[in-house]
């Protein structure tokens, strides 16, 4: 069989003249990317960040898509005004959408399309500044495209009312920043953030990676931040401040394939929600009811994710646990019991073994509650912590939690996730049924760093949450593609952060 070479395509999205559905302020737009390869069903791939009070958003979040020349990959970009914290889009104002194919974007490099409301009407197209001491500054980094336009590739955080703002260090690929060309011009703009979205330009400067990499802690590189309009009005004007780059480092990082081919094993663990809110497994209304064709949402999620990840585990022995049930013989409530009821050997032989353990477990337990995640997260975290003693990128742990409802031990779970973020570990949460999953979206740190109850920020985003019913009518591969999409990046991010190399050189395998 011929090996398939996949090309990654980065998509940056911006819009102009969006509709304003808010009464007292401007819309808070977010872009949702949908993909359709089967010709029938659209399914969500990813979302950008939400930008407050803005009708001309430039989203800093980049969509990265696998490009296949031989496949018509239909894309739909939906723009929504987000005014709440729920993951559902049905309760948000729809601002418009546009459709195209990935081939059209690749061939044109830049594609401008009008947004269209569902009724067919057009919806738009995808002064004096305070001194630094009184402003809320942030930076935007832009690269220049082949047609001479500037494309924003990174936006820093806003520093509120600070005389000497210091922005957090950030990482970005050379390709994203300057197409890998060390001498290609990079434009940096400094803005004063305003809540109403009318951000004021403080000033700009231009540089290159060749110049930036000269910066060191002992010898920073400084740039005058110049506002051209002010410069033309005032002869005495010099600059609006000085931006100092204190450190710039270029590192060569291993890829996900480098780690896998170098011997890194992905250890897969499953946690299944057996709380009473699932309903009596004997009733067709129960989420644990196994239909005549032998499936339910729990089993489908296990098969979808397990079949992909099992190829990266050599022994294919997977621990499988349940939580929230009363278990024999004392019928005490347990939030961490092996589904095969063998505490000394909770491993199941392959995905089929997990399915068999699940089927055998159901009639032997009593569904109860509450819905506690922290015990099983801490259980897997203990094994991940032990793996760090090897000082090599040999093991990474992926925990799949399948649940039907609102989490009960939210504070303990937040703390467990913040602790696990320091370990070689990722958590995938699949929500089955139609319950309120807003707490799960909160745990998924895509909108900002998750904090523990004590205020500690997770050093990595390790949680990916998806509602199962969002994929009910999508191709069977769609669920696994979505929930596993961030795992390679999380694996690479962890091992590169701690400068851990694969157990062996991938080239010598």
């Amino acid at each position: 069989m011929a090996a398939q070479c996949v090309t990654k395509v980065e998509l940056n999205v911006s819009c102009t003249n969006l509709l304003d559905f808010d009464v007292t302020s401007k819309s808070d737009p977010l872009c949702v990317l949908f993909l359709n390869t089967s010709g029938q069903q659209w399914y969500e791939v990813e979302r950008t960040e939400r930008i407050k009070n803005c009708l001309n958003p430039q989203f800093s979040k980049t969509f990265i898509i696998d490009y296949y020349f031989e496949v018509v990959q239909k894309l739909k970009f939906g723009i929504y005004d987000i005014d709440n914290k729920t993951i559902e889009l049905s309760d948000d104002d729809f601002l418009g959408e546009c459709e195209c194919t990935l081939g059209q974007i690749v061939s044109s490099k830049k594609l401008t399309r009008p947004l269209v409301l569902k009724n067919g009407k057009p919806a738009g197209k995808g002064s004096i500044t305070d001194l630094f001491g009184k402003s809320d500054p942030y930076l935007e980094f832009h690269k220049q495209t082949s047609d001479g336009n500037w494309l924003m590739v990174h936006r820093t955080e806003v520093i509120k009312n600070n005389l000497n703002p210091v922005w957090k260090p950030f990482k970005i690929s050379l390709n994203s920043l300057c197409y890998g060309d060390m001498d290609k011009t990079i434009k940096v703009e400094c803005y004063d953030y305003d809540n109403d979205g009318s951000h004021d330009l403080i000033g700009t400067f231009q540089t290159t990676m060749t110049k930036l990499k000269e910066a060191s802690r002992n010898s920073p590189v400084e740039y005058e931040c110049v506002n051209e309009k002010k410069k033309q009005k005032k002869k005495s004007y010099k600059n609006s401040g000085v931006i100092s780059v204190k450190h710039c480092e270029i590192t060569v990082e291993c890829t996900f394939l480098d780690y896998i081919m170098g011997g890194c094993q992905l250890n897969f663990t499953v946690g299944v929600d057996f709380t009473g809110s699932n309903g009596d497994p004997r009733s067709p209304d129960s989420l644990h009811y196994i239909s005549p064709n032998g499936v339910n949402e729990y089993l489908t999620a296990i098969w979808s994710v397990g079949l992909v990840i099992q190829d990266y585990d050599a022994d294919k022995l997977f621990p499988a646990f349940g939580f929230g049930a009363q278990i024999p013989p004392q019928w005490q409530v347990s939030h961490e019991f092996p589904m095969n009821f063998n505490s000394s050997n909770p491993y199941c032989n392959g995905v089929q073994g997990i399915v068999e353990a699940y089927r055998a477990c159901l009639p032997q337990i009593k569904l109860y509650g509450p819905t506690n995640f922290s015990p099983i997260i801490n259980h897997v975290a203990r094994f991940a912590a032990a793996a760090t003693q090897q000082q090599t990128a040999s093991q990474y742990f992926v925990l799949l939690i399948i649940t039907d409802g609102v989490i009960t031990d939210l504070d303990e779970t937040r703390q467990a996730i913040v602790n696990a973020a320091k370990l070689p570990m990722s958590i995938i949460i699949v929500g089955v049924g139609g319950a309120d999953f807003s707490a799960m979206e909160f745990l998924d740190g895509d909108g900002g760093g998750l904090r523990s109850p004590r205020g500690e920020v997770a050093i990595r985003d390790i949680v990916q949450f998806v509602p199962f019913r969002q994929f009910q009518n999508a191709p069977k591969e769609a669920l696994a593609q979505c929930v596993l999409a961030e795992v390679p990046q999380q694996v690479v991010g962890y091992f590169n952060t701690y400068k851990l190399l694969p157990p062996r050189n991938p080239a010598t395998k």
Side-chain angles (χ1 to χ4, degrees):
M1 180 184 293
Q4 192 172 39
C5 182
V6 178
T7 301
K8 299 284 186 181
V9 176
E10 293 186 0
L11 302 180
N12 296 85
V13 180
S14 62
C15 307
T16 57
N17 301 322
L18 292 177
L19 292 176
D20 189 1
F21 284 168
D22 289 352
V23 178
T24 59
S25 62
K26 298 176 182 176
S27 295
D28 305 326
L30 170 149
C31 179
V32 183
L33 173 62
F34 299 90
L35 180 63
N36 184 337
T37 56
S38 65
Q40 298 177 349
Q41 181 71 29
W42 292 99
Y43 66 92
E44 181 179 330
V45 178
E46 208 169 359
R47 303 182 182 190
T48 66
E49 76 280 12
R50 180 186 68 154
I51 299 181
K52 285 188 175 182
N53 296 321
C54 186
L55 303 182
N56 300 284
Q58 284 186 302
F59 299 104
S60 61
K61 169 74 175 179
T62 299
F63 295 129
I64 300 178
I65 301 179
D66 290 337
Y67 167 66
Y68 299 93
F69 172 77
E70 69 278 11
V71 177
V72 177
Q73 296 170 270
K74 296 180 181 179
L75 305 179
K76 179 165 65 177
F77 299 87
I79 308 297
Y80 294 83
D81 178 15
I82 307 297
D83 291 318
N84 55 57
K85 294 183 179 180
T86 68
I87 194 171
E88 299 297 330
L89 295 172
S90 57
D91 55 3
D92 299 309
D93 290 327
F94 174 72
L95 298 181
E97 64 184 20
C98 67
E99 295 183 20
C100 62
T101 67
L102 188 55
Q104 289 174 318
I105 296 176
V106 170
S107 61
S108 65
K109 294 186 179 179
K110 180 179 180 181
L111 193 64
T112 302
R113 286 285 177 91
L115 291 176
V116 178
L117 287 173
K118 290 178 180 175
N119 60 11
K121 296 181 180 179
K125 280 188 178 180
S127 70
I128 297 176
T129 306
D130 297 337
L131 296 174
F132 264 4
K134 299 180 180 179
S135 66
D136 304 322
Y138 67 91
L139 301 177
E140 288 185 356
F141 289 75
H142 301 253
K143 66 179 178 182
Q144 195 168 28
T145 61
S146 58
D147 56 9
N149 293 318
W150 292 100
L151 178 67
M152 185 185 64
V153 295
H154 180 75
R155 181 188 290 121
T156 69
E157 74 280 11
V158 176
I159 304 295
K160 290 285 188 179
N161 195 25
N162 195 308
L163 183 62
N164 297 293
V166 177
W167 291 279
K168 295 177 182 177
F170 66 91
K171 292 172 63 175
I172 187 170
S173 71
L174 277 179
N175 183 61
S176 295
L177 184 60
C178 58
Y179 299 108
D181 185 344
M182 298 291 290
D183 296 314
K184 193 168 186 64
T185 302
I186 300 165
K187 182 171 72 171
V188 183
E189 296 178 335
C190 183
Y191 285 93
D192 177 17
Y193 177 86
D194 286 320
N195 288 329
D196 63 2
S198 59
H199 312 308
D200 299 314
L201 178 67
I202 294 176
T204 69
F205 67 87
Q206 295 186 0
T207 185
T208 65
M209 272 307 303
T210 299
K211 180 66 176 176
L212 286 172
K213 71 183 184 68
E214 295 176 2
S216 66
R217 292 179 176 86
N218 297 326
S219 180
V221 175
E222 296 185 339
Y223 298 92
E224 290 188 355
C225 199
V226 176
N227 187 313
E228 289 297 332
K229 289 185 178 179
K230 282 189 174 183
K231 186 176 181 181
Q232 293 173 6
K233 290 180 179 180
K234 295 182 180 180
K235 292 183 178 179
S236 60
Y237 175 84
K238 291 185 177 181
N239 61 59
S240 297
V242 175
I243 303 292
S244 177
V245 180
K246 296 183 177 180
H247 183 67
C248 179
E249 181 181 2
I250 299 175
T251 59
V252 178
E253 297 185 339
C254 291
T255 67
F256 178 66
L257 284 181
D258 288 334
Y259 287 112
I260 296 301
M261 296 177 70
C264 179
Q265 295 288 305
L266 299 186
N267 299 284
F268 181 47
T269 301
V270 175
V272 175
D273 181 341
F274 288 113
T275 56
S277 54
N278 283 277
D280 186 343
R282 295 168 296 182
S283 169
D285 296 330
S286 171
L287 292 168
H288 280 299
Y289 175 75
I290 299 177
S291 67
N293 59 359
V295 298
N296 60 26
E297 293 186 12
Y298 281 93
L299 286 171
T300 302
I302 291 171
W303 275 115
S304 298
V305 179
L307 285 177
V308 174
I309 209 166
Q310 70 173 353
D311 290 340
Y312 302 96
D313 189 313
D315 61 18
K316 293 180 174 47
L317 295 175
F318 307 127
F321 296 91
F323 59 90
Q326 293 178 321
I327 61 173
Q330 279 81 29
W331 301 106
Q332 76 278 13
V333 176
S334 175
H335 299 290
E336 182 194 335
F337 64 91
M339 285 200 294
N340 64 3
F341 298 104
N342 187 342
S343 298
S344 60
N345 184 16
Y347 297 93
C348 301
N349 189 6
V351 181
Q352 181 63 45
I354 300 176
V355 171
E356 292 171 357
Y358 169 81
R359 290 174 178 273
C361 172
L362 265 178
Q364 300 184 61
I365 60 175
K366 297 178 181 179
L367 275 58
Y368 203 72
T371 306
N372 291 352
F373 283 5
S374 60
I376 193 169
I377 293 175
N378 290 329
H379 175 94
V380 177
R382 287 192 290 272
F383 286 89
T388 62
Q389 304 302 313
Q390 300 175 22
Q391 295 296 309
T392 184
S394 58
Q395 294 190 73
Y396 194 89
F397 294 78
V398 178
L399 169 61
L400 169 64
I401 298 176
I402 314 173
T403 183
D404 84 308
V406 179
I407 186 172
T408 308
D409 64 336
L410 184 58
D411 284 350
E412 292 83 357
T413 296
R414 286 164 57 195
Q415 186 64 59
I417 292 172
V418 169
N419 294 340
K422 305 169 188 174
L423 301 170
M425 179 174 169
S426 292
I427 301 169
I428 297 167
I429 304 174
V430 175
V432 297
D436 177 12
F437 291 119
S438 56
M440 307 305 172
E441 184 183 9
F442 171 73
L443 296 177
D444 188 331
D446 288 345
L450 177 71
R451 292 179 179 270
S452 73
R454 294 178 292 185
E456 182 183 1
V457 180
I459 62 172
R460 296 188 302 132
D461 174 17
I462 65 168
V463 177
Q464 173 76 343
F465 167 75
V466 295
F468 177 87
R469 294 193 174 179
Q470 183 178 304
F471 296 88
Q472 274 188 319
N473 299 318
K476 60 181 181 180
E477 304 87 3
L479 176 65
Q481 288 175 349
C482 183
V483 299
L484 294 174
E486 295 183 7
V487 170
Q489 181 181 348
Q490 290 167 353
V491 171
V492 170
Y494 175 81
F495 290 134
N496 281 332
T497 296
Y498 291 94
K499 296 180 170 56
L500 297 176
L501 298 175
R504 58 179 179 269
N505 187 339
T508 63
K509 186 176 180 180

